[in-house]
Amino acid sequence: AAACAAVAKIKDLSCESQLGRFVRTVLLGMSLHPEPEHNPEYDASFDKHPSWGSPLPRIEAAEGLMALARHGSCCDAEVFDAIERLNTDPAPQVRFQVAIRLTYLYETATEKMWKYLENRIYSESSNAVLNGLAQCLQQITGTHPDRAAELSASLFQKIREGPGAEHPKATCVCTFVSLHVGRNHRFAKELLYKLIGDVRANHRELSVVLSNLRGALTHTSAEPPTVEDSALRNRAVDLFQTIAGAACDDFATIIT
């Protein structure tokens, strides 16, 4: 399974070739393997520090089938049925392999990619897997800003407190900052300024916002700076000042 997952990454692999057919057959078979068994006792540890043993057939199969789905000749109903099954696998380590690679389907099965993203966001319980989904959304904000922002907001609200929760939250916040400051995205701005309304409750998320403003505060793409450069910097400065002002006001209420 591990070897076939590696072969599936070959750029010009075709499932019409003998090698491609062999890899496809092995990965589909391994996607039904009983290993790894799901042990809920380790879910919290996985959420905090995603890791897994190797080789574990279903994990390798999930990685390999996602790589295989990038090849048009390999995208058939049987492959997608296996991916959908692995996308809801009992073991979060297996679901994670699918989640972090969903953008592999962007060229060959765009609507399936969105379907898997939406379904997983609303039903996922693992913070590590949610972070994988958030990272995929972050990768496609440039081409689909509105849809990515909407799903990132849904994901952000879905995150449960517990081990690893800070990771998907931070990824979502980075997406909101990129959309608002970089693209003047209205919905992303609303999400960020809503966080500022309760500095103490959202101090970790706002710390992520501030750290992501460092480059934008001095951004310039040309000399003299363009109108777009100035607008981007102004959005960054305004966001920074608003957070700083809210934090100072909140601090004043504590010490008085």
Side-chain angles (χ1 to χ4, degrees):
C4 286
V7 174
K9 299 173 186 176
I10 295 175
K11 183 178 180 180
D12 298 321
L13 183 70
S14 170
C15 283
E16 295 175 357
S17 68
Q18 183 178 0
L19 176 62
R21 289 193 297 271
F22 174 78
V23 167
R24 176 184 175 279
T25 299
V26 171
L27 291 174
L28 287 173
M30 291 297 101
S31 72
L32 297 168
H33 197 281
E35 294 291 338
E37 293 184 7
H38 176 220
N39 187 340
E41 292 183 9
Y42 298 114
D43 285 356
S45 175
F46 176 75
D47 278 346
K48 192 171 184 179
H49 301 292
S51 60
W52 51 89
S54 182
L56 289 171
R58 227 162 54 252
I59 287 178
E60 308 291 353
E63 178 184 354
L65 286 168
M66 291 303 295
L68 208 62
R70 290 187 297 181
H71 307 293
S73 61
C74 301
C75 294
D76 58 27
E78 197 171 3
V79 168
F80 284 123
D81 285 347
I83 289 174
E84 191 155 2
R85 184 177 65 253
L86 294 166
N87 196 35
T88 59
D89 195 277
Q93 297 90 339
V94 176
R95 300 197 302 276
F96 183 79
Q97 308 308 315
V98 178
I100 62 175
R101 296 178 174 86
L102 282 174
T103 52
Y104 285 10
L105 306 180
Y106 187 81
E107 296 290 342
T108 54
T110 308
E111 285 310 308
K112 286 186 181 294
M113 178 196 76
W114 288 113
K115 175 188 172 185
Y116 294 152
L117 275 167
E118 290 169 357
N119 290 346
R120 209 60 248 146
I121 285 171
Y122 294 119
S123 58
E124 185 54 59
S125 58
S126 165
N127 283 327
V129 179
L130 285 171
N131 190 40
L133 297 170
Q135 290 171 350
C136 280
L137 288 169
Q138 193 174 51
Q139 293 170 24
I140 50 182
T141 53
T143 50
H144 301 276
D146 294 339
R147 200 167 183 180
E150 182 181 343
L151 286 175
S152 294
S154 297
L155 192 154
F156 186 81
Q157 295 299 322
K158 176 75 169 52
I159 300 167
R160 61 180 176 84
E161 291 300 327
E166 67 276 13
H167 302 308
K169 284 185 176 182
T171 302
C172 289
V173 168
C174 289
T175 297
F176 302 151
V177 172
S178 175
L179 284 169
H180 164 51
V181 175
R183 300 175 66 102
N184 196 23
H185 195 278
R186 184 173 181 177
F187 181 54
K189 177 181 179 179
E190 291 173 359
L191 295 169
L192 290 170
Y193 279 78
K194 185 177 180 180
L195 293 175
I196 301 172
D198 193 340
V199 173
R200 271 180 276 184
N202 300 310
H203 67 279
R204 291 186 179 86
E205 290 74 24
L206 293 174
S207 294
V208 174
V209 174
L210 293 174
S211 66
N212 276 267
L213 291 179
R214 294 177 64 182
L217 290 170
T218 57
H219 173 79
T220 182
S221 62
E223 289 296 342
T226 65
V227 173
E228 290 77 13
D229 288 338
S230 298
L232 187 151
R233 284 200 309 274
N234 287 340
R235 289 192 291 273
V237 169
D238 183 72
L239 184 55
F240 185 96
Q241 286 183 323
T242 305
I243 294 172
C248 289
D249 291 344
D250 209 19
F251 183 71
T253 65
I254 295 173
I255 63 174
T256 54

